[in-house]
Amino acid sequence: QVQFVESGGGLVQPGGSLRLSCAASGSRFSVSAVGWYRQIPGNQVDVVGIIGHDYSTVYDDPVRGRFTISRDNAKNTVYLQMNSVNSEDTAVYFCNTAPPSDFWGPGTQVTVSS
């Protein structure tokens, strides 16, 4: 019932910040839990964090304290604020339901490099 399109990726220097956006469609968005995921090509998909329908959040250890997930239900959009990025954050970032469905958006590339 919910589909996502990610945007906002790009090249960022170590220690810098970036905000990713995830535009959603579907009538059930406001009551859906949404996760941010990331993948290095050829590797498994890892969860970054999840935001619930009640705005509660949970984060994976590598990003906890640096990344923040938020949502604006009026705009059908979720965000990933990335602060203090490092080279290990380089990946393609996706959003999806939590747990994810089999229908993934295009993702957005984040490259951390000096």
Side-chain angles (χ1 to χ4, degrees):
Q1 292 183 282
V2 181
Q3 296 177 321
F4 303 98
V5 178
E6 305 88 349
S7 64
L11 178 66
V12 60
Q13 294 184 346
S17 298
L18 201 65
R19 189 178 76 159
L20 308 184
S21 297
C22 178
S25 62
S27 61
R28 304 293 294 175
F29 171 79
S30 63
V31 295
S32 298
V34 179
W36 280 98
Y37 308 83
R38 63 185 181 183
Q39 181 184 39
I40 299 173
N43 293 277
Q44 67 179 17
V45 176
D46 296 322
V47 64
V48 175
I50 296 168
I51 185 166
H53 66 89
D54 59 353
Y55 299 89
S56 63
T57 55
V58 61
Y59 301 94
D60 195 21
D61 286 343
V63 308
R64 189 176 299 112
R66 300 187 298 116
F67 292 6
T68 303
I69 301 173
S70 61
R71 67 191 298 166
D72 186 339
N73 289 344
K75 297 181 178 180
N76 272 26
T77 302
V78 296
Y79 304 95
L80 180 65
Q81 179 66 47
M82 307 169 61
N83 296 330
S84 301
V85 298
N86 58 64
S87 61
E88 295 183 345
D89 296 321
T90 294
V92 179
Y93 284 72
F94 302 89
C95 55
N96 205 330
T97 52
S101 75
D102 292 332
F103 304 100
W104 296 85
T108 185
Q109 175 73 48
V110 173
T111 302
V112 182
S113 177
S114 59

